Amino acid sequence: MKTILKIIMLFSCALTYAQTTVKGNVTDNSGQPLPGANIIVVGTTTGTITDFDGNFTLNYNQNPPFTIQVSSVGFESKTEQITTNPQTVNIVLVEGTSLDEVVISASRTPERIFESPVTVERFGLKEIKNTASADFYDGLENLKGVDVNTNSLTFKSVNTRGFATFANTRFMQLVDGMDNSTPALNFPIGNLVGMNETDVLSVELLPGAASALYGANAFNGILFMRSKNPFDFQGISGYHKQGITSQDAGGDNTYRDSGIRAAYKFSDYFAAKVNFGWLKGTDWTANNYQGKPGTGDTRASLGYDGYNIYGDEVATNINGVAQTLEGLGILPAGANALVPSVTVSRTGYEERDLTDYNAESIKADWGLYFRPWANDFEIQYVGKVGTGSTIYQGTNRYNIDGFTQQQHKIEVKNDNFFLRGYVVADKAGDSYDMVFTGININRAWKDDNTWFGQYTGAYVQATLGGATDAQAHAIARQTAETGRYEPGSPEFIAAYNASISNPDLTTGSRFQDASKYYHADGNYNFSHLWDAVDIQVGGSYRKYSLNSSGTIYTDYDGPIDYSEYGVYTQLQKEFDLNGGMSLKLTGSARYDKSEFFDGFVSPRISAGLSVNENHNIRASVQTGFRNPTTQDLFIGLDAGRAILVGSAPDNLDRYSDSYDISTAGQVAFGQPATVTQTGAAAYTNSYLASSVSAFAASSNPADLVIGNSALVKPEKITSMEVGYRGKLDKVIVDMSVYYNKYQDFISGENVVAPFYGTVGDNSLSIAAIANGDYQVYQTYTNSKADVNSYGGSIGLSTKIFGNFDLGGSYTYTKQDFDENAFPDFRTNFNTPEHKAKASFGNTDLFKNFGFNVAWRWSDTYFWQATFGDGDIPSYHTVDAQINLKVPSLKSSFKAGATNLLGDEYFTAIGVGNIGSMYYVSWTINNL
């Protein structure tokens, strides 16, 4: 018996310590080493990756025979049989085409991009390493059909197929499955608190509606960013970029961007990683001093209100001031007859006086990954935190200073399912509104009544002294401006600091926020259980908790909470047809419900016909919807030129304010000196703002049109798309056309609510408008008009002269909306009708040396947003880089430039011109 036990123990030890060592080298078909190639034992999660020289060592705790699979992005996978211990293998991978790349986003399951049922753009490891842009996120603007609107150096807004400002609430951004949008703003703020470049595995972009699988926010496009799993990518890698930004207005300024990634696989059961990144530079200086739209004003104009001048928004009619001064006995009776009925504005401060243009991003993330059974079943905890400073342009211009966002996720997954839950929370830090900073520095020095009173009094005196009108205005402004705080003076600095630390917009400009949302979603793929049809089911739940302390939302008495949920299913079936053809049919549907609105079903059907592995024709019809955002529902913000009031039913009366009534209103119509008006007036007792402007010009009451905006409800879209992907000889072609039809399009509407009278009464409300006794509001509502868009794009790529990469694309986009019939409704299409892109490069021009050049051209287009409207001139720009790999140092070096030609341009009204960036970078061990 003892002998038997010894034999069993010996055999068990042999099994326990059995280990096979496989060494080898992986190269491409030109003999170049492939760093970062994956080697995995088929049927297990045991694997490794090649080093910078393409070498690898794999230890597996089983005896041969077994099979390994070798793969690398952009190459065809290959398997190798292992029959001896030890064994050395040399693997040559054949370069594939972009049609062979695998995407997940289109159907929530891995599939070749060639077979995707809808348009997908992919930005993989090869593209990331060779982008001519300063970083991978900026490189997205070289993708077909993609616009990147530059808000500032560190805040870029991705847009596909139009209808977006910098607050792109129709576009969704996911990082490892987590929504990257900020709870306070309801949209992603670029990559400010996103991913480190050394940790990016792939980026996929779906233009157009994707609500059938991804819910309400995936309305006009969705961006997926996936990071590297530490089980597959281990080691320490890092990068440092150093350079300058160059702009006519801002000069030359230092730019730095550094990052490090550390990942370690402790065993087949546990792996971990951590990332850290820091970027610092100087933002693009904004110096657009043109007058606001429709005014034609210059800085010499009496009522000048410039784009990047703040404080001059405060203006009044000085004839009304004269009447008030007469009533108080300050001016003699009849003096108002000397004062013209003109609007005069206070003198503002330039934006450069109110910000240091610091552009900074500090971000870190970490992850713990468990595989309790050493197979594909994985438990993850991922944490992310980022803080930064940037400029954001919304209704006003905001200095985002010390903004912080954090995310925490727990996810359980395997190849067939995932279940995740996460929380996203933000804090506004020391952020402030630069417009109100300018306004309240002026008021800290001299209140509005005093300033306009001194101006009007000096005008009367100068006129009585024989001055001309122009001379009288010059004397009046000089008198009122006496003692004004000059930028940089101790008084100015004290007033500035007091304003940006005070959240009361009547005296300060700071905004506060500590909002968050909780999200859970899951998906199960039943395809491994039966072959008849691939079936997926899933769902999601989200709870919002808005907490701005009344500085953004009407949450004066505490957080505002509300929730939404959705469930979906997808069926997919592939049929083999005669003649080397196959047909893939996909159908999906999703039901979503917000607690404020009725539920909505979003179906999608698509078909893809593949012919001879080289041609694929796809067609799809899908519907989507978008719930009103948190701001659409609960905002209550005095933005100066208008008050923004969300249209949730219980929000209307939560916003209220007191207003002074004109002397004429008090004397002629018996109105009190002050009245209190709530936000409900914008929706129940208002005129359209454009009609009030027409009435001001004509004095004809018939020009007034009742506004009374309807309460906002979900927006819907029906999208139809036809596309082709294929290989024509050596040329890869990807083209598509689409037509989008929107229903109940959500946007803002400008209305004017009189302080007395009822709109349509043809008497008192008209008098209120004529006397200036009204408030301008921006409401959130749905268009009564049809809003449609259509377009198409084509992308071509090939190799020429051997191994040179050449690619190009053209995109056409058009809005179909009758703006003349609905002048107060704003769609914010903000997209050029024509744009073209091209790239040319070689990853191995000669040994270890490569280059890439990217060119972009944009047609002129009209920018429409609450901050300002105007034409964006056409522009073209060239980015370029050269790179050198040094295998002995496990390093690659890059020198590059963006906007190499130095022709400055801008993508929106009010932002700084985009200059040039010149940089060099050193990347270590980024396989």
Side-chain angles (χ1 to χ4, degrees), residues 726-764:
K727 186 175 183 181
L728 303 175
D729 194 14
K730 296 181 179 181
V731 179
I732 304 298
V733 180
D734 190 351
M735 59 188 297
S736 63
V737 294
Y738 69 91
Y739 184 85
N740 292 337
K741 184 176 180 62
Y742 296 86
Q743 182 182 350
D744 297 324
F745 191 93
I746 297 175
S747 189
E749 189 169 55
N750 295 325
V751 298
V752 171
F755 293 150
Y756 42 90
T758 302
V759 295
D761 60 12
N762 290 322
S763 58
L764 204 55

Side-chain angles (χ1 to χ4, degrees), residues 269 312 319 386 519 743 754 896:
Y269 303 94
D312 56 3
N319 182 265
H519 186 95
Q743 182 182 350

Side-chain angles (χ1 to χ4, degrees), residues 443-455:
R443 288 172 174 169
W445 156 61
K446 186 179 292 185
D447 68 83
D448 295 338
N449 288 335
T450 300
W451 193 92
F452 286 112
Q454 291 178 349
Y455 187 106

Side-chain angles (χ1 to χ4, degrees), residues 62 118 219 549 723 835 896:
Q62 297 290 336
V118 293
F219 188 75
S549 301
K835 53 180 175 281

Side-chain angles (χ1 to χ4, degrees), residues 389-427:
S389 299
T390 189
I391 302 293
Y392 162 60
Q393 181 171 300
T395 302
N396 290 335
R397 295 270 290 174
Y398 303 90
N399 190 327
I400 306 299
D401 187 11
F403 173 88
T404 301
Q405 179 169 309
Q406 59 178 310
Q407 298 176 295
H408 298 277
K409 176 186 76 167
I410 294 178
E411 182 171 2
V412 181
K413 58 183 281 189
N414 71 4
D415 290 342
N416 302 308
F417 86 98
F418 70 80
L419 180 64
R420 69 172 72 101
Y422 59 89
V423 60
V424 182
D426 66 28
K427 289 188 177 180

